[in-house]
């Protein structure tokens, strides 16, 4: 293949801000102390092929803070979990246990849904 093009998939016609401009478009996240955050704990199965997942919503925190919190919750519940779109998802139905942990950490948490 002696066409002389090189890396055709990395050809950029015009770019104004250099190589990585993702930081320019990010919105700053305001970090509130746990006492001022109203979080909701809910167990759901929708869109998960029948598997129950406990979802914690309502966080106003930086991704690093959420990563530390999800690590602690996963260890306490003995299961897996992740952070998606400023929400924490923990595998299994652990509503009451997660509620107790969040209240001990100072969050204003409530169980949402049935």
């Amino acid at each position: 293949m002696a066409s002389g093009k090189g890396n055709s998939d990395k050809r950029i016609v015009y770019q104004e801000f250099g190589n990585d401009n993702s930081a320019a478009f990010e919105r700053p996240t305001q970090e509130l102390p746990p006492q001022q955050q109203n979080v909701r704990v809910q167990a759901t199965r929708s869109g998960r092929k029948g598997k129950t997942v406990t979802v914690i919503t309502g966080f106003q925190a930086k991704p690093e803070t959420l990563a530390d919190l999800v690590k602690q919750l996963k260890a306490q519940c003995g299961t897996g979990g992740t952070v998606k779109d400023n929400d924490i998802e923990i595998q299994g139905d652990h509503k009451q246990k997660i509620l107790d942990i969040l209240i001990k950490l100072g969050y204003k948490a409530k169980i949402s849904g049935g």
Side-chain angles (χ1 to χ4, degrees):
M1 294 195 148
S3 63
K5 280 189 171 185
N7 288 339
S8 61
D9 60 315
K10 298 216 180 205
R11 292 174 48 191
I12 298 174
V13 177
Y14 176 77
Q15 189 169 7
E16 187 173 347
F17 293 109
N19 290 339
D20 186 27
N21 60 357
S22 61
F25 293 110
E26 279 186 17
R27 290 188 176 196
T29 306
Q30 181 180 2
E31 176 112 23
L32 289 178
Q35 299 84 5
Q36 295 179 4
Q37 295 189 39
N38 293 316
V39 296
R40 301 279 186 248
V41 181
Q42 177 180 13
T44 182
R45 288 188 194 171
S46 64
R48 292 175 175 84
K49 299 179 183 175
K51 309 276 189 203
T52 303
V53 176
T54 305
V55 181
I56 308 144
T57 59
F59 287 106
Q60 293 181 349
K62 294 183 179 177
E64 300 84 26
T65 306
L66 289 178
D68 293 340
L69 182 60
V70 76
K71 185 175 180 181
Q72 183 177 359
L73 290 174
K74 288 184 340 185
Q76 292 285 327
C77 295
T79 186
T82 186
V83 177
K84 287 187 180 175
D85 300 327
N86 255 7
D87 295 339
I88 293 178
E89 295 181 359
I90 302 292
Q91 296 174 357
D93 188 357
H94 301 282
K95 290 186 297 194
Q96 192 60 47
K97 186 184 287 188
I98 290 175
L99 180 71
D100 295 340
I101 294 167
L102 290 174
I103 290 174
K104 284 180 187 175
L105 292 174
Y107 288 93
K108 291 194 290 185
K110 292 183 181 177
I111 291 181
S112 173

